Amino acid sequence: MGMVEGNLPDFHPLLKDELDFPLAWGTSPIRDFRTWRRTARAKVEEHLVVPGDDAGYDPEFGDRNETDGYTRELVTLDLTRHSRVRGALLTPHGAGPFPAVLLLHDHGAKFDIGKEKLVRPWYDDTRPASALAWADRHFSGRFVGDELARRGYVVLALDALGWGDRGPITYEQQQALASNLFHLGSSLAGLMAREDVRAARFLAGLDRVDRRRVAALGFSMGGYRAWQTAALSDDIAAAASVCWMTGLKEMMVPGNNTLRGQSAYYMLHPGLARYLDIPDVASIAAPKPMLFFNGGLDTLFTADGVRVAYDKLRAVWRSRHAGERLRTKAWPDLGHVFVDRMQDEVFDWLDAVL
């Protein structure tokens, strides 16, 4: 007759029971994996709502800065036919072509910085303090993009809609932004997915990049974006996702942050759950090398949700005789962070798989 705690309708268990994810690999009647992957990807793309975009990028490079071991520069490009976006591009010193990382920022309800959460902002006097505080809080004081560039990777970081140069919005504005995009026949989550795929193609197409060795990496919402981009883009050869993987049913429980709306709209493709669970979507990337880390003390994702998701992922990679290409790990003493020891393992893993 109403609502239960956590904004769920009182009949939500019945809605959950109706979700059997009939298009999941192993459940779907499709037995050829390549055919399944094409079918599943097409179903995801259908639910992005936002159409694909093949506009030219028309990049402009500027504000170049040399630092220890790598070059920093700004690049402005047509990320879609509607949006021209400024990004940070880091290139190691040397001949190249280099492996590359598409670095995808988190949500964190902090909108004044986006790419600056991951790349030290050399180009703007107003953002370093905020960026440094964020790095101290989540990344052991490091800028992950700069660390990767020192290790020999080209790095591209861009703002998602609402952050940094493309904002900042307020926490409350997210819901209205998502609703208004739906009214306009579009989707906030679908737009972000399309933009990340476009960014991957741009990065892979740079002369300085070895297009066979491009990875996606992100923390929190950036982790979601990383595995999603790997699933939807043939330009991504590997992906590392830190602190964003769960089963949908296990996530939809009273008290979970997702049930508040707001930030959830960046990761919500309406209707897709009638076909695929969250790890089923990530499995479209199989058998690419993929890494998933979670913190055992992370309150955003239930232990059951992580377990269910990892089990599903492992089953898919094993079915491709590629179990060694999937790495899943829980850090029992850590929460929702991407600290230095986690970073070091990810960096070493990237070195190995790329």
Side-chain angles (χ1 to χ4, degrees), residues 139-291:
F139 309 128
S140 297
R142 290 175 166 180
F143 286 91
V144 175
D146 296 75
E147 296 293 327
L148 285 163
R150 291 188 189 98
R151 290 181 71 115
Y153 292 89
V154 174
V155 175
L156 176 65
L158 299 161
D159 295 321
L161 184 64
W163 280 268
D165 294 339
R166 305 178 73 190
I169 60 173
T170 65
Y171 187 81
E172 291 72 21
Q173 283 178 309
Q174 295 174 99
Q175 201 138 306
L177 178 62
S179 173
N180 290 330
L181 281 168
F182 283 143
H183 280 304
L184 293 167
S186 191
S187 161
L188 186 56
L191 175 65
M192 188 169 72
R194 292 292 191 196
E195 289 187 348
D196 290 344
V197 168
R198 286 268 297 169
R201 175 142 296 187
F202 172 75
L203 178 59
L206 291 174
D207 290 343
R208 69 193 75 179
V209 170
D210 179 351
R211 69 174 311 122
R212 299 165 302 173
R213 296 190 292 156
V214 180
L217 166 62
F219 158 70
S220 192
M221 183 185 77
Y224 172 97
R225 297 167 69 191
W227 59 252
Q228 179 175 255
T229 308
L232 297 178
S233 171
D234 294 330
D235 294 301
I236 295 297
S241 171
V242 179
C243 292
W244 214 114
M245 178 48 64
T246 181
L248 175 66
K249 292 183 181 183
E250 296 75 23
M251 180 175 68
M252 301 295 292
V253 294
N256 188 276
N257 186 64
T258 301
L259 307 188
R260 299 167 66 185
Q262 304 294 357
S263 59
Y265 282 101
Y266 279 97
M267 294 155 279
L268 172 60
H269 304 300
L272 183 57
R274 292 195 177 275
Y275 303 93
L276 296 161
D277 197 359
I278 292 166
D280 300 330
V281 177
S283 295
I284 296 170
K288 296 176 184 179
M290 299 276 278
L291 176 149

Side-chain angles (χ1 to χ4, degrees), residues 287-327:
K288 296 176 184 179
M290 299 276 278
L291 176 149
F292 294 88
F293 282 171
N294 73 286
L297 304 179
D298 189 341
T299 58
L300 296 180
F301 302 100
T302 66
D304 281 346
V306 174
R307 176 186 52 78
V308 165
Y310 283 5
D311 286 348
K312 287 189 173 186
L313 293 167
R314 292 187 194 106
V316 176
W317 263 258
R318 282 197 301 265
S319 78
R320 300 297 88 218
H321 307 288
E324 75 285 353
R325 292 187 177 187
L326 177 70
R327 185 171 181 196

